[in-house]
Amino acid sequence: MVLSCREIRRQLSDYIDDDISAGTRQAFDAHLLRCRHCAAFVDGTRNILALIADERMFPLPAGFSERLHIRLQRELGTS
Ligand SMILES: [Zn+2]
């Protein structure tokens, strides 16, 4: 299985939540090894989520992850 950069970004939240099949995870990891752009995208998202998890132990407000995605895409120059 080969994932495109678009598919990586579409499935990013499932990947971080560990809500994907083993095969998809394998393809995801393989993509991240050879695509620095997506690796930076995943790292950035993980870092932000880790910061949030440290400081706030309650559920994220509605729409938060959508705004996070928009902000990340802007900062990393992806679309
Ligand atoms: Zn990529």
Side-chain angles (χ1 to χ4, degrees), residues 47-58 60 64 68:
N47 287 342
I48 290 170
L49 292 177
L51 283 175
I52 293 165
D54 277 351
E55 294 182 4
R56 304 182 187 180
M57 297 304 287
F58 52 84
L60 298 175
F64 178 85
L68 174 67

Side-chain angles (χ1 to χ4, degrees), residues 3 8 10-29:
L3 295 175
I8 292 291
R10 191 160 53 82
Q11 299 194 52
L12 176 60
S13 60
D14 289 342
Y15 174 79
I16 286 177
D17 289 344
D18 207 8
D19 192 24
I20 54 176
S21 70
T24 305
R25 170 167 288 271
Q26 235 173 24
F28 217 104
D29 289 337

Side-chain angles (χ1 to χ4, degrees), residues 12 16 40-50 68-69 72 76:
L12 176 60
I16 286 177
F41 190 74
V42 171
D43 277 353
T45 304
R46 274 214 170 108
N47 287 342
I48 290 170
L49 292 177
L68 174 67
H69 269 273
L72 277 172
L76 292 171

Side-chain angles (χ1 to χ4, degrees), residues 61-79:
F64 178 85
S65 64
E66 200 175 318
R67 292 197 301 274
L68 174 67
H69 269 273
I70 290 168
R71 168 131 194 225
L72 277 172
Q73 284 177 357
R74 197 178 295 148
E75 293 195 356
L76 292 171
T78 59
S79 60

Side-chain angles (χ1 to χ4, degrees), residues 4-5 8-9 31 35 37-38:
S4 67
C5 293
I8 292 291
R9 283 194 283 275
H31 184 105
C35 181
H37 205 70
C38 287

